[in-house]
């Protein structure tokens, strides 16, 4: 009984520690990126009744509205965007730790191994990097884990309705949701076959999936009417399927070294260190050996038909999403298989390792002790890395929320402008992260800028982006009065809002 209480106390402590690290990392403000500006703009427009408009004032199609609606609800409750994101990310971190442990207990994994796995998740820098940004990944991971837990329950009206809701929610938080929904529905049908029969199980689970796809179809139709695409304009990466898979291999290595890599759409295998590439390869060799031994032991004991449902679910989700991500990179979207892209399979991979280690009983004492020491080392190393990152993010901020960006003289000048001004920029999402008052139009949106309700217009022309330093030279307004200039860019006065803006772009 004492051990049970102690284990539960440890688990609760780890979950709360994960939430605390998230709060510490976001102490000076949750991180911003290009995506964040659009998420927040949609949230503010939703809360004010202006529709789902992005940072440039047009209906958002390239991202689903789930995260924005959650932040918008916080706005309606009187919470700031920053506080809403902090609360949401901390809750997601706590759910992820508890959910990981619960899934391992469903798989009947020894409590000690389950606690080590949950601790590894609690201190993961890879996950902390998501919790320290206003991104859709934290709520998506939490929803995915809840959906996994629900899929393992006996079929009932509650399970049916819960899965239907979760499948819908997964899509409206991230467009990739249906890929996970299909995998979970297939696995759930397999799990329920003994309870209600295979045919009825297939029909019931796929009915939940089919119902969930109705709002998906309606939303995609809405996008098609707006800009002619289903999920916004995207460009494929091309090349071989091997290239993104190699990148994912190195991403696994970066998870083990506590040094996640993300942020560049041109990232490839060669951009990772030789250590992460080697560790990624060794990890998959290790997992393959574990799975082979596990299957061998199941076959020898004539229990191959009683494979762990949690293990099957973890393998299914990981395999399908990795395959889909590699195919998407080559044929649809230039999105590397880096930390952010692949973080949804972080917990499923932890589940696979923990379950197979538990089931493959190691008889040799020296080998058992060596494996235990190795995993304790990784947990301690993750804890040190995660704590260091949290303190660094909390002190300096992340990406566009970094103090060095927010405190740039040009940004200090911008925030001093009257709030009834209308802003334009050659990097509108970048400027919106500082302005946050109204839509920021680019140099190609003259019609929208002309009709904006405001007192005066200004154009902020950045010399280069803060992501990769790319210079901007196209479409700069002419004959406008320069009211601020430094190495970062210039601010131009475009006159009163009742004047013709087209004269600056003859």
């Amino acid at each position: 009984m004492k051990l049970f209480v102690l284990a539960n106390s440890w688990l609760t402590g780890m979950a709360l520690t994960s939430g605390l690290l998230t709060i510490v990392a976001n102490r000076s403000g949750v991180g911003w990126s290009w995506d964040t500006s659009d998420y927040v703009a949609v949230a503010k427009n939703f809360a004010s009744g202006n529709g789902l408009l992005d940072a440039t004032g047009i209906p958002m199609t390239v991202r689903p509205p789930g995260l924005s609606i959650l932040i918008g609800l916080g706005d309606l409750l009187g919470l700031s965007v920053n506080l809403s994101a902090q609360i949401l990310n901390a809750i997601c971190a706590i759910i992820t730790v508890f959910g990981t442990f619960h899934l391992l207990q469903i798989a009947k994994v020894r409590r000690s191994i389950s606690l080590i796995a949950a601790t590894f998740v609690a201190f993961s820098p890879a996950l902390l990097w998501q919790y320290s940004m206003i991104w859709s990944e934290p709520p998506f991971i939490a929803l995915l884990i809840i959906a996994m837990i629900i899929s393992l329950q006996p079929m009932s009206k509650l399970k049916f309705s819960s899965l239907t809701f979760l499948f819908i929610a997964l899509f409206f938080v991230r467009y990739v949701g249906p890929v996970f929904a299909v995998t979970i529905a297939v696995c759930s049908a397999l799990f329920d076959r003994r309870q209600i029969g295979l045919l009825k199980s297939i029909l019931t689970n796929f009915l939940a999936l089919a119902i969930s796809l109705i709002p998906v179809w309606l939303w995609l139709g809405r996008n098609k009417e707006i800009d002619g695409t289903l999920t916004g304009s995207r460009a494929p990466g091309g090349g071989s399927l091997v290239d993104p898979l190699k990148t994912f291999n190195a991403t696994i290595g970066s998870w083990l070294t506590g040094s996640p890599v993300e942020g560049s759409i041109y990232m490839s295998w060669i951009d990772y260190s030789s250590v992460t590439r080697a560790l990624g390869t060794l990890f998959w060799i290790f997992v393959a050996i574990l799975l082979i031994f596990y299957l061998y032991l199941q076959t020898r004991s004539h229990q191959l038909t009683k494979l762990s449902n949690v293990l099957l679910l973890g393998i299914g989700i990981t395999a399908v999403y990795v395959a889909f991500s590699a195919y998407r990179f080559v044929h649809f979207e230039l999105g590397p298989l880096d930390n952010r892209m692949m973080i949804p399979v972080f917990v499923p991979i932890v589940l696979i390792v923990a379950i197979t280690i538990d089931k493959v009983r190691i008889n040799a004492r020296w080998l058992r002790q060596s494996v235990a020491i190795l995993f304790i080392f990784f947990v301690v190393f993750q804890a040190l890395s995660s704590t260091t990152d949290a303190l660094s993010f909390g002190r300096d901020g992340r990406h566009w929320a970094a103090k060095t960006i927010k405190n740039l003289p040009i940004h200090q000048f911008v925030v001093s402008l009257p709030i009834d001004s209308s802003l334009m920029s050659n990097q509108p999402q970048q400027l919106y992260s500082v302005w946050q008052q109204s839509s920021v139009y680019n140099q190609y949106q003259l019609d929208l800028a002309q009709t904006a309700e405001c007192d005066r217009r200004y154009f902020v022309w950045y010399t280069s982006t803060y992501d990769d330093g790319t210079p901007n030279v196209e479409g700069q307004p002419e004959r406008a009065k320069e009211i601020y200039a430094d190495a970062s860019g210039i601010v131009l006065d475009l006159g009163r809002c009742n004047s013709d803006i087209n004269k600056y772009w003859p």
Side-chain angles (χ1 to χ4, degrees):
M1 183 64 181
K2 289 183 178 179
L3 288 176
F4 178 80
V5 173
L6 183 62
N8 283 345
S9 298
W10 177 266
L11 174 64
T12 302
M14 288 301 98
L16 293 177
T17 298
S18 184
L20 178 61
L21 283 172
T22 299
I23 293 171
V24 171
N26 296 326
R27 183 167 51 87
S28 64
V30 191
W32 278 62
S33 69
W34 181 293
D35 296 13
T36 303
S37 290
D38 284 336
Y39 284 132
V40 173
V42 172
K44 286 178 172 287
N45 284 307
F46 165 76
S48 60
N50 295 326
L52 303 176
L53 306 180
D54 68 11
T56 64
I58 61 175
M60 187 163 74
T61 60
V62 75
R63 297 174 189 90
L67 174 61
S68 299
I69 291 174
L70 289 175
I71 295 174
L73 292 175
D75 187 275
L76 291 173
L77 294 173
L79 303 178
S80 68
V81 168
N82 193 63
L83 182 57
S84 295
Q86 285 181 328
I87 294 172
L88 176 63
N89 287 357
I91 291 174
C92 291
I94 292 171
I95 289 174
T96 300
V97 175
F98 276 123
T100 300
F101 182 82
H102 186 62
L103 283 165
L104 290 173
Q105 290 302 283
I106 292 175
K108 294 181 172 56
V109 172
R110 281 172 289 177
R111 190 170 290 269
S112 58
I113 293 178
S114 299
L115 289 173
I116 292 174
T119 302
F120 186 83
V121 169
F123 284 121
S124 166
L127 286 167
L128 179 68
W129 280 39
Q130 311 308 307
Y131 302 147
S132 57
M133 295 291 295
I134 303 179
W135 283 345
S136 60
E137 280 72 15
F140 186 85
I141 294 168
L143 286 169
L144 175 61
I145 290 174
I146 294 171
M148 291 172 70
I149 293 172
I150 296 298
S151 73
L152 292 158
Q153 308 307 309
M155 179 52 69
S156 65
K157 292 181 180 179
L158 179 60
K159 175 180 177 176
F160 179 86
S161 57
S162 297
L163 281 182
T164 303
F165 169 78
L166 288 166
F167 291 163
I168 295 171
L170 286 170
F171 169 81
F172 280 96
V173 172
R174 289 189 70 202
Y175 280 145
V176 75
V179 174
F180 291 87
V182 169
T183 307
I184 292 172
V186 170
C187 290
S188 181
L190 183 65
F191 303 154
D192 293 332
R193 72 189 189 282
R194 289 193 178 92
Q195 175 197 356
I196 58 177
L198 180 59
L199 181 59
K200 187 176 180 180
S201 177
I202 292 173
L203 291 175
T204 303
N205 283 281
F206 277 76
L207 179 59
L209 178 64
I211 293 173
S212 75
L213 292 177
I214 295 174
V216 171
W217 176 76
L218 292 174
W219 180 263
L220 295 179
R222 171 257 189 195
N223 290 350
K224 187 74 172 178
E225 289 183 4
I226 291 172
D227 62 12
T229 69
L230 295 178
T231 59
S233 179
R234 303 171 191 272
S240 166
L241 289 173
V242 175
D243 293 330
L245 291 175
K246 287 167 63 179
T247 300
F248 175 57
N249 179 76
T251 295
I252 292 289
S254 74
W255 289 349
L256 295 174
T257 59
S259 54
V261 182
E262 62 191 20
S264 172
I265 63 172
Y266 300 106
M267 189 182 306
S268 64
W269 158 266
I270 201 65
D271 294 313
Y272 290 80
S273 69
S274 56
V275 173
T276 57
R277 285 181 281 171
L279 276 176
T281 302
L282 290 173
F283 172 81
W284 288 118
I285 293 173
F286 175 72
V287 171
I289 292 173
L290 281 176
L291 286 172
I292 289 171
F293 268 103
Y294 174 75
L295 292 173
Y296 168 74
L297 292 174
Q298 292 292 105
T299 303
R300 193 176 67 174
S301 60
H302 305 290
Q303 293 184 329
L304 193 59
T305 59
K306 296 182 180 180
L307 295 176
S308 167
N309 287 346
V310 181
L311 179 62
L312 288 174
L313 191 57
I315 292 174
I317 287 174
T318 301
V320 171
Y321 182 63
V322 171
F324 170 81
S325 298
Y327 187 84
R328 175 178 57 185
F329 176 88
V330 172
H331 297 285
F332 293 107
E333 181 183 3
L334 187 59
L337 277 62
D338 62 359
N339 179 56
R340 184 182 178 189
M341 184 70 73
M342 303 313 296
I343 200 65
V345 297
F346 183 91
V347 170
I349 288 175
V350 170
L351 296 175
I352 293 170
V353 174
I355 292 170
T356 50
I357 285 178
D358 178 68
K359 303 306 180 185
V360 177
R361 305 287 173 144
I362 302 174
N363 294 323
R365 184 178 179 184
W366 68 269
L367 184 56
R368 187 168 62 249
Q369 290 177 339
S370 298
V371 171
I373 291 171
L374 179 65
F375 275 87
I376 291 172
F377 167 79
F378 273 120
V379 169
V380 172
F381 185 74
Q382 294 273 311
L384 292 173
S385 299
S386 193
T387 302
T388 301
D389 285 347
L391 293 173
S392 174
F393 297 158
R395 181 184 65 249
D396 303 325
R398 290 200 68 193
H399 296 317
W400 292 348
K403 292 180 179 178
T404 53
I405 301 298
K406 292 191 295 185
N407 294 334
L408 281 172
I410 191 172
H411 287 158
Q412 293 300 302
F413 181 83
V414 166
V415 297
S416 71
L417 295 172
I419 61 174
D420 59 354
S421 303
S422 177
L423 299 191
M424 301 182 69
S425 178
N426 58 335
Q427 294 293 329
Q429 279 82 4
Q430 189 168 285
L431 182 61
Y432 186 86
S433 69
V434 178
W435 177 242
Q436 296 184 38
Q437 298 294 335
S438 57
S439 300
V440 178
Y441 305 111
N442 62 37
Q443 60 268 44
Y444 308 109
Q445 295 178 289
L446 300 186
D447 290 341
L448 283 175
Q450 186 70 63
T451 58
E453 294 184 6
C454 55
D455 178 61
R456 202 170 189 89
R457 300 190 191 95
Y458 299 94
F459 197 106
V460 180
W461 185 273
Y462 288 107
T463 304
S464 62
T465 69
Y466 295 130
D467 285 337
D468 57 15
T470 304
N472 300 285
V473 295
E474 185 180 309
Q476 187 171 357
E478 300 176 8
R479 297 189 299 276
K481 181 182 178 181
E482 185 179 294
I483 58 175
Y484 180 89
D486 65 16
S488 300
I490 59 176
V491 180
L492 304 171
D493 187 344
L494 301 182
R496 295 266 176 203
C497 290
N498 57 6
S499 63
D500 183 12
I501 197 174
N502 291 284
K503 64 183 179 182
Y504 298 107
W505 284 272

